[in-house]
């Protein structure tokens, strides 16, 4: 299971890197838009391993949790490079908040049985990432 998790998380990281390469200056917004899309929400078997397995992994042993930790760290590192900020610490905190928000939004959007609410969750988190200083 640890190897399968590591592979799935690497695929997520690879997808993030491809999105960054395609998008240039607007990489963070493009990554968030791709992740928080209805298409990603609807592809349960192909989407983010964290959103699909995160709660289950918490009940597993060290090898599986270690694979998840390495994957989370890698994605957080990649997002940190995309986030504007004055200090490395500030950028890292923002990147982790963005990552947690995206994963949480995907879990909620997939879990509810109300299509309008699901879309609302995705759009709210996307707006908070794209326009973090808006009221």
């Amino acid at each position: 299971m640890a190897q399968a998790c590591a592979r799935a998380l690497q695929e997520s990281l690879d997808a993030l890197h491809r999105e960054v390469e395609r998008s240039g200056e607007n990489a963070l917004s493009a990554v968030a838009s791709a992740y928080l899309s209805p298409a990603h929400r609807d592809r349960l078997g192909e989407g983010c391993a964290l959103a699909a397995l995160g709660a289950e992994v918490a009940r597993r042993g060290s090898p599986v949790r270690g694979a998840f930790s390495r994957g989370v760290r890698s994605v957080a590192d990649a997002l940190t490079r995309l986030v504007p900020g004055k200090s490395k610490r500030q950028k890292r905190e923002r990147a982790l908040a963005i990552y947690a928000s995206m994963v949480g939004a995907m879990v909620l959007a997939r879990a509810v049985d109300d299509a309008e609410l699901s879309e609302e969750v995705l759009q709210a988190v996307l707006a908070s990432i794209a326009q973090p200083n808006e009221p």
Side-chain angles (χ1 to χ4, degrees), residues 18-108:
R18 285 190 301 274
E19 193 62 47
V20 168
E21 288 175 16
R22 278 194 295 263
S23 57
E25 288 183 29
N26 297 318
L28 180 60
S29 181
V31 166
S33 293
Y35 188 94
L36 296 167
S37 70
H40 181 218
R41 177 198 59 210
D42 297 342
R43 288 191 320 262
L44 298 176
E46 301 171 28
C48 175
L50 278 175
L53 301 173
E56 180 61 29
V57 167
R59 296 183 198 90
R60 297 294 172 176
S62 294
V64 175
R65 293 183 75 193
F68 257 69
S69 294
R70 287 185 294 279
V72 167
R73 195 172 289 111
S74 294
V75 172
D77 291 345
L79 289 173
T80 298
R81 290 188 291 274
L82 303 178
V83 173
K86 295 180 181 178
S87 70
K88 186 174 182 176
R89 180 177 176 211
Q90 182 185 50
K91 291 173 62 149
R92 179 67 168 198
E93 287 176 1
R94 178 81 175 122
L96 288 169
I98 287 170
Y99 192 23
S101 295
M102 291 191 322
V103 172
M106 189 55 59
V107 170
L108 289 174

